[in-house]
Amino acid sequence: MSPIKDMKLAYLALNEMNVFTAGDTIAGTLTFTLTEDTKVKSLSVKAKGRAHVHWTDGTGDRRRSHTANRIYFKAKHTIVEKKSDDTVLSKGDYCHKFSLQIPQGDFPPSFKGFHGKVVYTLEAKLSRSLRIPSFVQEELRFIPKSFLNIGQCPVSGSVEKGKVKMFATVDKKVCCPGDTLSVVAKISNSSSKKMKPKFSVMQRITYRAHASTNHSYQTYSKWVGETIESKSEETVSCKLTVPADAIYTINNCDIIIVEYFVKAYLDISFAIDPEVLLPVIVYPPAYASHKYDEAMGPHPAGPAGASYSDFPPPAFSTGPYPVPVGPGAPFQPGPYPAGAVGAPGYSNFPPPGPYPAPTAPVAYGYPAPIQPAPTTSGFSNQWPQQVPPYGYPPAAFQPQAPTAPPQPQLQEGENPPNYASLFPPST
């Protein structure tokens, strides 16, 4: 009969969800009771993370087994070191404190599926010579930090087969269990057949072992729309709910992959159904409530809300700014109000107007423009009254009718002078 009784392992929770991530410290106590003096070979507490897949296929002589394992980390806290001679522990109650740190790394979240699992465990083991070791184990819930590195944005896709086109959009890329997704599809049916739009949330799990793969599929939250007649166009929208017990997305494990899609397709009789798969990511609720850009660093300024860029917002405000005053004022990136004093510029000309009319010829450092004199031709004797640049008013002038040169008065019977008498040749 074993002298080791009531062996228990307890650890401190770091948050309300009781989850751990890379870099966290696991602290707790190991308690047990010895009913008699006992020789102990070693006593330790170990934290470990690993992934495992296994399945079989085929029948009879062709039946094969596929297995793969991945060890992500091992962290150990030794209470009694292993020595050549066993250590004797006296009869009584024992309580040992321990502290372990999970190493840094991009490890997948906890997962249990039909053909595999990703598990993180905390295990205490007491070994004795020529005896079966006594151990106790607690399972840890683990969430990777990489959940924070993906931006929130809509997802869209399109498909075209023959005379049928569909463009579908889901309102967000990241969601958590229990969330509602809004889906909109624009459908153009130029064919002669009727069809029905159908939508659903689909889960796909892929298990890999060396060169072999195994897939499992599950469909949630189905929705069927009204029939779309031939030679018509329709816009269809619906709401799809992610299951409250949905497992989290796994995209950082090479032997287990968990994916989610919003599937939109057109059900056409006696034809291949056009479909669009829109990928979405299922996060833990506590992580999905955070701003995803915060994973890249604190950014106090910048626009709030969803962004269509995966880059974080700028760490400085983009304006507007007050106009700097004085010669020693620091440089501020624009915009600036027009004509601001001290505002930096790349031109000696003032910014575009409108401006009030100048009160002096040198109001802006150069004389006011001069209007050209009126023409005496018969086509036009007045310049068009357009608004001149920089807000100057047009010069005021009165148009004058053209006047003929004075003609000499001739007496009765007198001939007009000839050209040679008026303009004698030069000698």
Side-chain angles (χ1 to χ4, degrees):
M1 188 175 184
S2 175
I4 305 169
K5 303 295 182 182
D6 301 328
M7 192 172 184
K8 297 179 181 180
L9 192 61
Y11 63 88
L12 300 177
L14 300 182
N15 46 62
E16 295 179 358
M17 294 182 63
N18 192 21
V19 297
F20 293 87
T21 189
D24 285 349
T25 298
I26 308 172
T29 58
L30 171 64
T31 59
F32 58 91
T33 300
L34 296 180
T35 58
E36 60 183 40
D37 294 349
T38 306
K39 291 183 178 181
V40 176
K41 188 174 183 179
S42 65
L43 178 61
S44 62
V45 179
K46 181 187 298 183
K48 181 171 63 174
R50 69 186 185 96
H52 170 77
V53 297
H54 173 77
W55 75 91
T56 58
D57 56 19
T59 56
D61 294 339
R62 296 187 177 183
R63 187 174 181 84
R64 293 185 178 182
S65 178
H66 306 274
T67 303
N69 292 279
R70 295 291 184 273
I71 303 297
Y72 295 112
F73 66 85
K74 290 181 179 180
K76 187 176 182 180
H77 177 93
T78 301
I79 299 173
V80 176
E81 294 185 1
K82 186 177 181 180
K83 299 179 180 179
S84 56
D85 296 332
D86 293 345
T87 300
V88 178
L89 297 181
S90 302
K91 174 183 177 180
D93 298 327
Y94 288 85
C95 180
H96 297 280
K97 294 182 179 181
F98 65 87
S99 178
L100 298 169
Q101 185 175 17
I102 300 175
Q104 296 289 348
D106 186 19
F107 311 130
S110 301
F111 163 80
K112 286 186 178 180
F114 190 73
H115 297 301
K117 60 183 178 180
V118 180
V119 293
Y120 297 85
T121 56
L122 183 65
E123 178 184 293
K125 183 177 180 181
L126 192 155
S127 299
R128 297 182 295 161
S129 298
L130 305 177
R131 298 288 190 275
I132 297 176
S134 299
F135 67 92
V136 61
Q137 181 176 283
E138 293 289 338
E139 189 170 326
L140 305 176
R141 294 182 61 194
F142 185 88
I143 294 177
K145 288 183 177 179
S146 60
F147 272 161
L148 295 176
N149 294 338
I150 300 179
Q152 179 73 286
C153 63
V155 182
S156 61
S158 62
V159 62
E160 179 177 357
K161 285 192 175 182
K163 297 181 179 181
V164 178
K165 299 178 182 179
M166 179 172 61
F167 178 82
T169 303
V170 62
D171 62 334
K172 53 188 174 182
K173 180 179 181 179
V174 178
C175 58
C176 61
D179 272 1
T180 299
L181 303 175
S182 297
V183 185
V184 178
K186 296 181 180 180
I187 303 165
S188 175
N189 180 17
S190 300
S191 68
S192 59
K193 294 186 177 182
K194 299 179 181 180
M195 57 193 66
K196 279 191 175 183
K198 296 184 178 182
F199 304 89
S200 61
V201 177
M202 185 184 71
Q203 178 198 77
R204 181 174 67 191
I205 303 177
T206 304
Y207 304 93
R208 293 176 178 173
H210 307 292
S212 302
T213 59
N214 191 317
H215 298 278
S216 66
Y217 300 89
Q218 193 163 356
T219 301
Y220 309 97
S221 187
K222 297 180 180 180
W223 188 90
V224 180
E226 299 294 333
T227 301
I228 299 176
E229 302 294 335
S230 62
K231 310 297 181 181
S232 64
E233 294 185 358
E234 296 287 345
T235 299
V236 183
S237 61
C238 69
K239 302 285 186 180
L240 301 177
T241 302
V242 180
D245 58 348
I247 59 179
Y248 305 141
T249 297
I250 299 180
N251 51 18
N252 57 346
C253 179
D254 60 337
I255 62 175
I256 299 175
I257 300 174
V258 179
E259 302 169 287
Y260 288 90
F261 303 91
V262 172
K263 182 179 178 180
Y265 69 100
L266 301 174
D267 189 357
I268 306 175
S269 300
F270 307 106
I272 299 176
D273 297 337
E275 69 174 33
V276 177
L277 295 180
L278 307 177
V280 294
I281 298 174
V282 178
Y283 274 11
Y287 280 65
S289 62
H290 286 73
K291 294 179 180 178
Y292 303 100
D293 293 330
E294 290 178 358
M296 305 301 293
H299 307 282
S307 171
Y308 291 90
S309 172
D310 291 335
F311 293 96
F316 55 85
S317 178
T318 56
Y321 298 91
V323 179
V325 178
F331 170 75
Q332 298 278 357
Y336 301 93
V341 177
Y346 297 94
S347 173
N348 292 326
F349 292 96
Y355 299 95
T359 58
V362 291
Y364 289 103
Y366 48 87
I370 301 176
Q371 295 286 350
T375 180
T376 57
S377 65
F379 296 99
S380 175
N381 57 7
Q382 185 174 0
W383 289 88
Q385 299 301 304
Q386 298 178 353
V387 179
Y390 302 105
Y392 291 111
F397 62 91
Q398 296 294 334
Q400 297 179 1
T403 57
Q407 299 293 333
Q409 299 295 328
L410 300 177
Q411 300 296 329
E412 184 177 357
E414 184 180 0
N415 294 323
N418 57 19
Y419 180 83
S421 64
L422 295 176
F423 303 97
S426 59
T427 56

